[in-house]
Amino acid sequence: MSYVTHADLGGQPGFGPVTPEPEGELFHAGWEPRALALTLAMGATGSWNIDASRAMRETLPNYRDLSYYQIWLGALEQLMLQRGQVFADEIASGEMRHPAAPVARVLQAQNVPAVLAKGSPTERVAPGPARFAVGQAVRMHIGKANHHTRLPGYVQGKRGTIEHVHGAHVFADANAQGLDEQPQWLYTVVFEEAELWGDAVPRQNLSVSVDAWESYLEAAA
Amino acid sequence: MTGHDHSHDHSHDHSELGEMDLRVRALESVLTQKGYIDPAALDALIDTYQTRIGPRNGARVVARAWVDPNFHDWLMADATAAIASLGYTGRQGEHMVAVENTNDQHHMVVCTLCSCYPWPVLGLPPTWYKSAPYRSRAVKDPRGVLADFGTVLPETTRIRVWDSTAEVRYLVIPQRPVATEGWSEDELATLVSRDSMIGTRLADAPAAARSTA
């Protein structure tokens, strides 16, 4: 079965104008903060990593019809269903009908500030010397990954320049698949607008960058 | 509301609570009964992002950078450490980079793949940041997006869009508004909006300063 993401939106046409909203407007329904908190609290049990949760969200079949926190909630349910932590009849009824599966830890209220402040840094010991250096020309790989990836479609095959070397970070593609962290060097790669969008789009005096793991890149002449 | 993707016992219940409320309540109930979550932790998480962590944190970072050249230089060289020195650390801000607007260059941040956003300094992202229109257009038509916010920049100002595709998070340092000489750090922070730290607006002019909580 091939992997289908509905989240890779960069450069896609037809979505219309952006609707700004006031700074104080955080949630738009009473259930939204609960869905956020449930997602964070279950994430804190260590049952999956952030890349696996992104993979679940972006592959929800109705992703583009759902609001943001509906996506979060739908993915949370699926992640737990996959692991036998909840069952469909429990989600439907709101009642526990099957034994609980053990979780590594439970986030307690008094630990919330410390856990949030600590976060989950992704920088790791480098597996070896960096292959690319600042100023070097690179080309982004082409090809549809059959798994979660952080290589957006709109930069695939495009030529850019290494602007910054960030150290080695957990490789999202591997981590999302449960293949361990496999840290790689991470680079900021910057692209000129003509390279990305060609002549079909009016010039904006624009450049765009992405953060790219080393295996996304090859040296360009 | 969309989201008729699921079938469960409550889908025909048209009480004032609504379908999503009931669905979330049901899930919370099951997870609590199973011992996976502490309901008090949910309240603490919500309180954190509703009242403690938000864009006023980032505004303090920007105002400090405007008044303190040493902090400014530290912020531009090692944003993670400089921001942590003000107490803003952690989830979704583990690896920070600050980018500074000038007359010649304007920065905008997007996550075309999802909603990556620097929570410790800006709090939770606004709906538009997570929306398809912003994510699709920011990398291709940023001037059109800026126009949606009423922001018009000279054609000679180069636009640089940062697509946040890994765990590095970007904070835009807007330009300090003119006629703010002698302003205190706290006063300056009132000119810094969330949107100006994403790059869709400029910092407010003094006359337009909003009162902030």
Side-chain angles (χ1 to χ4, degrees), chain B residues 131-145:
Chain B
S131 72
Y134 186 72
R135 287 161 53 192
S136 63
R137 287 172 60 213
V139 292
K140 192 174 190 176
D141 181 24
R143 287 183 193 268
V145 169

Side-chain angles (χ1 to χ4, degrees), chain A residues 23 54 62 65 154 192 211, chain B residues 2 5 158 165 167 194:
Chain A
E23 186 166 304
R54 286 182 184 140
N62 48 354
D65 296 324
Y154 74 92
E192 294 307 314
D211 292 329
Chain B
T2 57
D5 53 297
R158 188 160 178 76
T165 52
E167 298 300 332
R194 171 194 65 201

Side-chain angles (χ1 to χ4, degrees), chain B residues 62-141:
Chain B
V62 171
R64 175 69 58 88
W66 282 347
V67 301
D68 181 343
N70 289 328
F71 182 82
H72 169 271
D73 293 349
W74 188 18
L75 182 68
M76 300 316 294
D78 184 353
T80 310
I83 291 169
S85 77
L86 298 181
Y88 312 136
T89 63
R91 187 186 173 88
Q92 295 300 309
E94 292 91 344
H95 308 286
M96 291 293 306
V97 169
V99 294
E100 186 175 31
N101 287 345
T102 64
N103 286 333
D104 299 327
Q105 185 157 52
H106 179 87
H107 299 278
M108 262 175 69
V109 184
V110 64
C111 173
T112 62
L113 296 174
C114 48
S115 56
C116 296
Y117 191 77
W119 290 17
V121 283
L122 296 188
L124 300 172
T127 302
W128 59 259
Y129 185 85
K130 304 173 287 195
S131 72
Y134 186 72
R135 287 161 53 192
S136 63
R137 287 172 60 213
V139 292
K140 192 174 190 176
D141 181 24

Side-chain angles (χ1 to χ4, degrees), chain A:
Chain A
M1 186 166 160
S2 68
Y3 188 95
V4 177
T5 174
H6 305 286
D8 187 3
L9 296 177
Q12 297 291 317
F15 287 110
V18 179
T19 307
E21 68 184 1
E23 186 166 304
E25 206 168 289
L26 269 183
F27 297 106
H28 300 279
W31 61 269
E32 289 186 346
R34 305 306 288 179
L36 164 79
L38 283 172
T39 302
L40 296 182
M42 281 309 297
T45 65
S47 304
W48 50 80
N49 62 56
I50 192 168
D51 299 303
S53 64
R54 286 182 184 140
M56 185 59 81
R57 288 172 196 161
E58 72 188 15
T59 55
L60 289 177
N62 48 354
Y63 177 96
R64 294 198 182 178
D65 296 324
L66 300 177
S67 74
Y68 183 72
Y69 288 112
Q70 285 178 325
I71 292 170
W72 275 37
L73 191 74
L76 175 62
E77 289 175 348
Q78 291 301 316
L79 287 164
M80 293 189 297
L81 286 166
Q82 263 185 358
R83 287 159 179 77
Q85 294 174 322
V86 297
F87 293 82
D89 59 337
E90 296 177 317
I91 289 175
S93 67
E95 289 172 12
M96 173 171 166
R97 291 178 179 173
H98 307 271
V103 293
R105 52 189 171 271
V106 174
L107 177 62
Q108 302 295 331
Q110 68 267 24
N111 297 330
V112 164
V115 166
L116 293 180
K118 186 165 173 277
S120 303
T122 54
E123 189 161 11
R124 297 289 183 271
V125 174
R131 194 173 149 213
F132 303 107
V134 170
Q136 193 168 349
V138 291
R139 188 173 297 280
M140 309 299 289
H141 275 180
I142 302 179
K144 200 170 152 0
N146 203 28
H147 50 71
H148 175 74
T149 185
R150 305 300 291 181
L151 173 57
Y154 74 92
V155 296
Q156 290 190 20
K158 304 299 184 184
R159 190 178 189 275
T161 305
I162 302 281
E163 188 182 66
H164 191 80
V165 184
H166 287 286
H169 284 254
V170 174
F171 182 40
D173 299 45
N175 202 37
Q177 300 176 74
L179 301 175
D180 297 327
E181 296 187 338
Q182 304 188 29
Q184 292 186 14
W185 286 95
L186 182 73
Y187 305 87
T188 295
V189 181
V190 63
F191 305 89
E192 294 307 314
E193 62 184 320
E195 176 72 11
L196 291 182
W197 311 119
D199 296 324
V201 175
R203 290 284 188 274
Q204 302 232 334
N205 197 6
L206 167 69
S207 59
V208 178
S209 67
V210 301
D211 292 329
W213 276 271
E214 192 162 275
S215 63
Y216 296 170
L217 311 175
E218 59 189 48

Side-chain angles (χ1 to χ4, degrees), chain B residues 167-189:
Chain B
E167 298 300 332
V168 179
R169 299 287 175 266
Y170 296 91
L171 179 70
V172 175
I173 310 302
Q175 285 185 277
R176 179 172 174 164
V178 296
T180 56
E181 294 76 16
W183 283 45
S184 72
E185 197 175 316
D186 286 347
E187 290 169 326
L188 287 168

